Amino acid sequence: MHGIVLLDKPSGISSNAALQITKRLYQARKAGHCGSLDPLASGLLPLCLGEATKVAGFLLTTDKHYQTRCRLGVTTTTGDAEGEVLAVQPVGAYSMAELESVLAGFRGEQQQVPPMHSALKQQGQPLYKLAHRGLSVERAPRTISVNELRLVHYSGDELTLEVACSKGTYIRTLVEDIGVRLGCGAHVTALRRTGAGGYRVEDAISLPALQVLAGQGPESLDQLLLPMQSALAGWPQLRLSEDSTYYLQRGQAVFVPQAPASGWVSLYAADERFLGMGEMLGDGRVTPRRLINYPAC
């Protein structure tokens, strides 16, 4: 099995648990997910099976889309509803203009300090393991970009927001920071990923539906697989001659007329077979970086 499955992960299980279930259903030797979702979160989780794991790293770098529900006036240890309550503060009667003014300050490129309850590692230890032991360490801020931040609903102490952001953005931290700016604190009560790169949650399948299809046989599961090159939508595409394909698949850089001057490209044989990913060297040649092992298919 080689391809990408778009899973609508339910809340209540980890991304890895969802991955392992899917891997068993497909009887795949290799599998990986493209951007972890917290157990509280639901929504789009692209899963790469077999040779498609070679494109997983590129999916991790794509922009993401979320819808989140926030509770104002309460802060927690984790920044979401799974943590213990730290403080309760009164919530003001904010006007739409006041809320919009605060949200406007969080749009665009900015610095964000990752939360302690995250999978980021410090000296080999995931931060969340340190947090579970009651430890807190200094974290360097990272540059992120919030491309869209829209207020969908506001009532009393509850906000619903739609967010489009760059990789590495923590929605829990964004919500906490919005709460600080409002002066009342806030935490996430629900989070749903609605998009990742060119993929949308409307095209994803639920875990129960996937299990039903598995009972109908491997052919039914096959129909869900997206081609691995779908993860590279928007990349320049190079089609190689038979001779160039031969040398490229043996690790050699080859010259391609009218190729981009620089950057990553997706590579195809003359018969439209996807070969993998390459990088331009600047002299008109493309060098192979990650090639698909079709003999293993």
Side-chain angles (χ1 to χ4, degrees):
M1 295 292 182
H2 306 274
I4 297 172
V5 178
L6 301 183
L7 184 70
D8 187 347
K9 186 190 88 68
S11 59
I13 66 171
S14 69
S15 293
N16 187 60
L19 171 67
Q20 296 307 319
I21 292 171
T22 305
K23 182 181 178 182
R24 287 195 298 271
L25 292 177
Y26 273 93
Q27 299 181 24
R29 292 186 178 182
K30 297 186 296 182
H33 61 69
C34 306
S36 181
L37 286 171
D38 292 335
L40 172 76
S42 68
L44 182 62
L45 184 66
L47 303 177
C48 296
L49 306 179
E51 286 292 281
T53 55
K54 292 179 178 178
V55 305
F58 301 103
L59 269 174
L60 286 171
T61 66
T62 60
D63 288 352
K64 309 296 190 298
H65 295 254
Y66 298 93
Q67 185 171 98
T68 182
R69 189 167 66 245
C70 324
R71 169 83 182 276
L72 301 180
V74 180
T75 55
T76 70
T77 53
T78 58
D80 60 27
E82 294 188 326
E84 298 178 3
V85 173
L86 286 174
V88 178
Q89 301 180 68
V91 178
Y94 306 110
S95 68
M96 297 300 289
E98 289 173 321
L99 290 173
E100 177 56 34
S101 176
V102 168
L103 295 181
F106 288 95
R107 298 187 183 109
E109 190 174 285
Q110 59 201 268
Q111 296 292 300
Q112 186 184 74
V113 177
M116 277 300 300
H117 287 267
S118 68
L120 293 177
K121 293 184 178 180
Q122 184 147 325
Q123 296 182 345
Q125 279 283 328
L127 291 179
Y128 69 84
K129 289 189 175 181
L130 298 176
H132 289 164
R133 288 158 47 193
L135 302 176
S136 180
V137 297
E138 187 173 350
R139 286 96 65 200
R142 303 194 302 178
T143 301
I144 63 163
S145 181
V146 176
N147 304 318
E148 296 178 23
L149 180 57
R150 189 170 72 89
L151 177 62
V152 176
H153 175 76
Y154 167 51
S155 178
D157 61 356
E158 187 175 277
L159 295 178
T160 301
L161 304 171
E162 286 186 352
V163 185
C165 55
S166 64
K167 67 168 185 172
T169 302
Y170 286 91
I171 304 300
R172 285 176 290 143
T173 301
L174 177 64
V175 168
E176 285 183 311
D177 291 343
I178 290 172
V180 170
R181 195 74 59 86
L182 287 170
C184 63
H187 71 277
V188 168
T189 57
L191 179 64
R192 182 165 176 77
R193 183 190 285 158
T194 57
Y199 300 132
R200 293 295 175 263
V201 73
E202 292 82 5
D203 300 318
I205 187 169
S206 69
L207 203 51
L210 186 66
Q211 292 167 323
V212 169
L213 282 180
Q216 298 174 2
E219 295 81 8
S220 297
L221 288 176
D222 282 353
Q223 294 177 6
L224 287 179
L225 286 176
L226 297 177
M228 62 191 86
Q229 59 266 36
S230 66
L232 310 178
W235 281 37
Q237 298 180 2
L238 296 186
R239 281 162 176 77
L240 309 180
S241 66
E242 186 175 341
D243 285 346
S244 293
T245 297
Y246 175 86
Y247 289 112
L248 184 99
Q249 290 186 312
R250 283 151 184 79
Q252 298 184 38
V254 297
F255 177 78
V256 182
Q258 299 180 335
S262 62
W264 286 78
V265 293
S266 53
L267 304 169
Y268 293 81
D271 61 3
E272 299 298 321
R273 182 165 45 103
F274 178 58
L275 301 174
M277 291 74 71
E279 188 174 13
M280 299 307 302
L281 296 178
D283 59 0
R285 293 183 303 154
V286 60
T287 188
R289 292 301 187 198
R290 294 184 185 175
L291 297 182
I292 304 305
N293 184 13
Y294 279 105
C297 296

